[in-house]
Amino acid sequence: MEASTIIETINLTKRYNRQTAVKDLSFKVNEGEVFGFLGPNGAGKTTTLLMLMGLSHPSGGSARVCGLDPLRKPIEVKGIVGYLPENIGFYGDLDAVQNLKYVADLNGIQADKASEKIDELLDLVGLKQDARKKVGAFSRGMRQRLGFAEVLIKDPRLIFLDEPTIGLDPDGALRLMDLVASLNRDRQITVLLSSHNLHQVQKISHRVGIMIHGEMVAEGTIESLAKEKFGVGEKEYTLEEVYMKYFQEV
Amino acid sequence: MQGLYAVFKKELCDHFSSYRFVILFALIAMVSFISSYMAGIHMKENLEALANTRFPFLMLFSSTGALFSMVQFVAFFGPLIGLVLAFDSINREKAHGTLIKLISQPIYRDAVINGKFLAGIATITIMLVAIVLVISGLGLVIVGIVPGIEEIWRLFIYLIISIFYISFWLAVSILFSISFKSIATSALASIALWIFLK
């Protein structure tokens, strides 16, 4: 089955003064897949995500998200894409429902529909009993789950997750990843997952891309990358081993 | 447009539920009432002098009863209202990580700034109009003079000009909150500019 392309970048480049954060990046993400976006800190992953949403202007090259150019149609793109930043912030003096309500308002969702949706999403992420608690009192895990609800409120076709499990306890991280996998499976949401937890990425990604120093050094299924590095005979491998192999070569 | 209205609504809510607004409003209202009350008492004692002035009702706002008049007070402290309302409007969102979330929603970036600015203007307008109306009522009761049509017009124009004046400072403090990362720096820069120009 040949899936259609939802994200495509062609020689996408971003320079800050003299430093090149992203260099001639070309990759594709197919609709309906979980794409593991890997790379060391400072490899340019977040910059790439920002460029895909039209929040950062590329110095060169182009990108297409759902067939739209994020540079020319940022509003349309941002209406389709849900973005969970690495350190998501909330209004601490508002409760969970009020925080979600604001995002629903910003997305132009009608009030009665929004409150229905908020109930449903809070239930989905397991925050129903904390709906009226001030977010300032939320734990890290609860904030992350609320962030998920916030991303889903606009019914995105595509979600960008930037280190969603960082700082979470193992159980919380596991449940979050299960949630991502179920969203992808049940709602056909395409997921661009950037994470350092390679074990989890391996479990839920269909394909991965490894970005080092602003360049995509590898892209494909974990199997194909492993074959390339370890040969066909190798059966036992982990994404971690594959990743380290690429990393050491650069 | 949808983004602008959403930001405006949220910011207006924030203003009215914040301690900052309560303290600011209490301060401005108290000082204005006291100065106008003093002026009113003073006018009552000198009713003959009042008969010769062109706009006796406006004396309530402009005559210096004891220390200063309400108009002088607004002219001097008005900028502070504008500055205090917005010196942390953008950089606080940045510090709390909510700015990136805001602009990753399908709205234009200007909507965030404009929404905050409009909410500030609305807050200032409500503050000033309320104070002027209460003082007018106070004047009717204490001094017993009724404003003429022209006086009402002049009062109205005074309000418009004051709102513009304070909104200018509101805009300045939003500008500082955009250009300075630290909240303390933008507060300091706003106050420094105010003192320098005063």
Side-chain angles (χ1 to χ4, degrees):
Chain A
M1 188 189 85
E2 189 59 37
S4 60
T5 306
I6 195 162
I7 299 177
E8 183 174 18
T9 70
I10 300 159
N11 298 329
L12 201 63
T13 302
K14 178 72 185 180
R15 275 185 294 270
Y16 293 109
N17 300 323
R18 285 207 194 123
Q19 228 181 346
T20 307
V22 176
K23 202 169 151 194
D24 289 331
L25 185 71
S26 301
F27 75 106
K28 276 182 189 176
V29 176
N30 298 324
E31 178 139 32
E33 73 177 355
V34 178
F35 188 82
F37 198 29
L38 313 176
N41 295 322
K45 288 172 293 172
T46 304
T47 310
T48 307
L49 294 183
L50 292 181
M51 283 193 285
L52 288 177
M53 285 184 294
L55 293 176
S56 180
H57 286 220
S59 321
S62 68
R64 281 274 181 284
V65 176
C66 301
L68 298 163
D69 182 354
L71 208 55
R72 299 199 180 273
K73 297 205 179 286
I75 303 296
E76 286 83 350
V77 170
K78 287 191 281 185
I80 305 170
V81 176
Y83 174 49
L84 186 68
E86 188 173 341
N87 277 311
I88 186 161
F90 296 98
Y91 301 100
D93 45 351
L94 301 182
D95 63 32
V97 173
Q98 286 168 325
N99 266 290
L100 291 177
K101 185 81 197 9
Y102 186 34
V103 176
D105 269 357
L106 290 169
N107 279 287
I109 301 171
Q110 239 111 55
D112 47 338
K113 261 196 204 151
S115 47
E116 216 174 279
K117 216 163 171 69
I118 289 168
D119 276 348
E120 179 204 320
L121 286 172
L122 283 175
D123 198 26
L124 180 76
V125 298
L127 285 174
K128 205 163 193 180
Q129 63 279 22
D130 303 303
R132 286 294 169 190
K133 251 190 222 160
K134 295 251 159 91
V135 176
F138 273 27
S139 70
R140 171 95 209 174
M142 288 160 82
R143 288 169 73 88
Q144 213 64 21
R145 277 184 282 156
L146 184 61
F148 254 92
E150 211 167 68
V151 163
L152 292 176
I153 205 157
K154 61 170 102 163
D155 277 327
R157 271 177 70 188
L158 176 64
I159 49 180
F160 295 167
L161 306 176
D162 202 348
E163 303 289 351
T165 56
I166 208 164
L168 289 188
D169 57 77
D171 174 55
L174 204 67
R175 276 192 293 167
L176 211 65
M177 281 298 140
D178 281 345
L179 183 63
V180 173
S182 75
L183 288 173
N184 173 253
R185 201 174 47 235
D186 305 336
R187 303 191 184 200
Q188 278 80 50
I189 298 173
T190 310
V191 180
L192 195 62
L193 172 68
S194 149
S195 177
H196 293 307
N197 197 327
L198 299 175
H199 181 66
Q200 286 163 355
V201 173
Q202 181 171 16
K203 253 190 351 201
I204 69 166
S205 313
H206 302 111
R207 294 194 316 130
V208 295
I210 300 174
M211 197 171 174
I212 295 171
H213 298 318
E215 285 177 274
M216 195 69 100
V217 294
E219 185 193 343
T221 60
I222 299 172
E223 216 172 313
S224 69
L225 297 187
K227 265 185 195 152
E228 199 175 305
K229 285 293 147 191
F230 298 115
V232 193
E234 201 77 39
K235 277 275 175 270
E236 290 292 312
Y237 56 84
T238 61
L239 179 57
E240 199 154 349
E241 286 162 6
V242 177
Y243 176 81
M244 286 316 291
K245 196 93 180 171
Y246 274 104
F247 190 63
Q248 278 152 10
E249 279 175 16
V250 173
Chain B
M1 268 320 275
Q2 87 195 15
L4 182 68
Y5 181 63
V7 175
F8 171 76
K9 218 170 67 178
K10 152 88 169 50
E11 290 300 319
L12 200 59
C13 263
D14 277 1
H15 279 315
F16 284 125
S17 54
S18 67
Y19 286 119
R20 185 190 306 192
F21 173 78
V22 173
I23 293 170
L24 205 58
F25 192 46
L27 177 79
I28 307 289
M30 211 163 58
V31 177
S32 306
F33 293 162
I34 291 172
S35 61
S36 298
Y37 183 75
M38 300 291 263
I41 298 288
H42 185 72
M43 284 157 72
K44 204 174 160 190
E45 285 163 359
N46 303 288
L47 278 178
E48 308 84 50
L50 209 58
N52 299 324
T53 50
R54 256 184 90 199
F55 303 111
F57 190 75
L58 296 185
M59 294 286 283
L60 211 52
F61 299 93
S62 60
S63 94
T64 51
L67 292 164
F68 42 77
S69 70
M70 184 262 180
V71 170
Q72 281 171 342
F73 177 72
V74 169
F76 191 76
F77 276 104
L80 207 61
I81 307 176
L83 296 179
V84 168
L85 281 180
F87 71 90
D88 63 347
S89 54
I90 302 291
N91 51 16
R92 190 165 53 136
E93 301 250 10
K94 214 186 235 166
H96 289 194
T98 47
L99 191 63
I100 182 78
K101 179 176 88 181
L102 271 185
I103 57 170
S104 66
Q105 305 306 327
I107 58 168
Y108 291 104
R109 301 166 202 221
D110 336 12
V112 177
I113 297 169
N114 291 343
K116 282 173 182 279
F117 184 51
L118 288 179
I121 293 179
T123 310
I124 292 164
T125 306
I126 292 168
M127 257 179 169
L128 282 184
V129 169
I131 289 172
V132 165
L133 286 181
V134 172
I135 291 177
S136 300
L138 211 66
L140 289 174
V141 174
I142 303 173
V143 194
I145 41 174
V146 181
I149 294 291
E150 195 182 343
E151 282 174 313
I152 292 174
W153 268 114
R154 280 171 182 259
L155 215 52
F156 181 70
I157 291 166
Y158 164 74
L159 269 177
I160 300 279
I161 292 173
S162 300
I163 290 164
F164 262 85
Y165 173 59
I166 297 176
S167 299
F168 164 76
W169 288 93
L170 181 76
V172 166
S173 69
I174 291 178
L175 178 68
F176 282 148
S177 86
I178 295 170
S179 45
F180 295 114
K181 255 190 188 156
S182 142
I183 296 171
T185 314
S186 66
L188 201 64
S190 309
I191 289 177
L193 186 70
W194 175 58
I195 291 174
F196 177 71
L197 290 182
K198 275 293 162 182

